[in-house]
Amino acid sequence: MKPAEGTRPDEARTRGSGPEDVTGSAPDTAPTPLVRALCDDLATVLGTPVDPADLHPRHDGAAAPLLGLVGVAAAGPRQVACRLLAEWVRAGTAERGEQPELWGPSAVDIATLRLGGERLLPGLTLTPLPSGLAPREAVERLLPTVAELLGAMRGVALVDRTRATTVPGWSARLRLLAEYDALGPAAAATGDPGAWVIAAHHLAASAFVSEAAEGSVWAQLMAAVRTHSVRALAELGEAREGEGELDRRGSADFTALVDMERSVTLDGYPARSGNVLQVVRLPREHAGRTEKALVLLAPRSGG
């Protein structure tokens, strides 16, 4: 079963196991030995503490923090964590439940675990985008996945105008959902489709997750949104040459394409390299003028 096409970001949680599904070992009750064992196993394979509360989604629909931990993990630990959950099912320790299915940059299966009719852990399935998909449609299909994982993050650096503020992931998710409602679907942006592409990319890229490892689902997702957005602009004749140099501070193309006055430095970021952490807004050639890019930068040493 493939994820529903044209799904809006706030619809991702509606395709789970339904309103009758209840969460086992609720946060306000003492966790069972099995829940503690699951947390201990996940902490071991992910290399980070996992609390029983991390297994529960928020009341506003934001995903369980465990999905965020899996989403920022490197490929190796992520694969082992997913295999661990599958083995709990295979061993008969828990049953597999239904779960949301969304589009992603690669295939990921985080199994929903149930025991005695109650949910131990809500999971998620990501299905790779089909080949040959129009770039704007690809961006649109990935936004619900961005919202889903964003809501599960413990902390996010959210770029707003000329500053970056650390906020809980659930708060960043709500902002993305509200702004996406205002943006509307790609098909409705007939007057200036390029502006829709820029705004859609910005919705995703204005959230930076410093814990995301190279090769993590989150890192892949950000790269996919950027790649498809650049392709969409190219399809419209609005891409700028040199876009690939936006990550190389100091290059000629970087200087020409990036608005440094409006770009943001992430104060407190541990690696004081001055490097580009994320391209927040893509450059665009439109109506004979260049709209420059905005980037998020690490602080410089001694700066």
Side-chain angles (χ1 to χ4, degrees):
M1 176 177 167
K2 299 296 184 184
E5 297 183 11
T7 305
R8 294 184 66 78
D10 54 349
E11 293 173 345
R13 304 300 295 171
T14 67
R15 298 194 305 279
S17 45
E20 74 283 359
D21 192 14
V22 295
T23 302
S25 185
D28 56 351
T29 63
T32 65
L34 197 60
V35 169
R36 290 197 177 278
L38 177 59
C39 290
D40 290 344
D41 288 356
L42 288 166
T44 298
V45 299
L46 291 172
T48 189
V50 178
D51 188 82
D54 293 331
L55 308 185
H56 302 283
R58 279 177 49 88
H59 296 299
D60 59 9
L66 178 68
L67 297 188
L69 297 179
V70 176
V72 301
R78 176 183 76 244
Q79 292 164 359
V80 175
C82 291
R83 184 57 183 259
L84 168 68
L85 300 178
E87 289 298 307
W88 269 54
V89 174
R90 193 176 74 87
T93 306
E95 299 173 352
R96 176 157 189 154
E98 297 180 1
Q99 60 199 53
E101 296 183 64
L102 295 172
W103 298 106
S106 59
V108 178
D109 182 36
I110 306 170
T112 291
L113 300 185
R114 297 176 64 86
L115 181 65
E118 294 192 343
R119 188 175 59 194
L120 294 176
L121 167 69
L124 176 66
T125 297
L126 297 185
T127 301
L129 290 170
S131 60
L133 195 65
R136 270 177 287 173
E137 186 176 353
V139 173
E140 192 163 35
R141 289 195 189 189
L142 290 174
L143 285 179
T145 311
V146 174
E148 184 78 350
L149 290 181
L150 194 59
M153 300 298 175
R154 287 174 170 169
V156 175
L158 193 62
V159 180
D160 184 10
R161 301 182 187 277
T162 58
R163 65 191 182 110
T165 306
T166 300
V167 300
W170 62 264
S171 176
R173 168 184 174 267
L174 293 176
R175 170 177 163 161
L176 185 152
L177 295 178
E179 293 191 357
Y180 187 80
D181 282 342
L183 178 63
T190 55
D192 190 355
W196 186 95
V197 173
I198 292 293
H201 170 266
H202 178 72
L203 282 181
S206 59
F208 175 71
V209 181
S210 60
E211 293 81 8
E214 184 177 354
S216 66
V217 174
W218 182 259
Q220 292 179 30
L221 186 57
M222 290 295 99
V225 171
R226 175 174 167 180
T227 296
H228 289 296
S229 296
V230 170
R231 289 175 180 169
L233 291 175
E235 190 175 72
L236 296 167
E238 297 182 356
R240 277 298 308 264
E241 286 189 21
E243 184 277 332
E245 297 292 301
L246 293 178
D247 298 301
R248 296 182 57 193
R249 184 174 186 175
S251 69
D253 285 325
F254 179 92
T255 303
L257 293 179
V258 175
D259 185 342
M260 287 297 292
E261 290 186 2
R262 297 175 58 215
S263 290
V264 178
T265 297
L266 183 58
D267 295 328
Y269 188 74
R272 305 184 67 82
S273 61
N275 291 340
V276 175
L277 300 175
Q278 192 155 286
V279 177
V280 177
R281 179 186 173 94
L282 289 169
R284 177 192 183 206
E285 190 73 30
H286 179 65
R289 65 185 185 90
T290 298
E291 299 173 4
K292 289 194 171 186
L294 302 178
V295 297
L296 180 65
L297 300 161
R300 286 186 181 276
S301 180

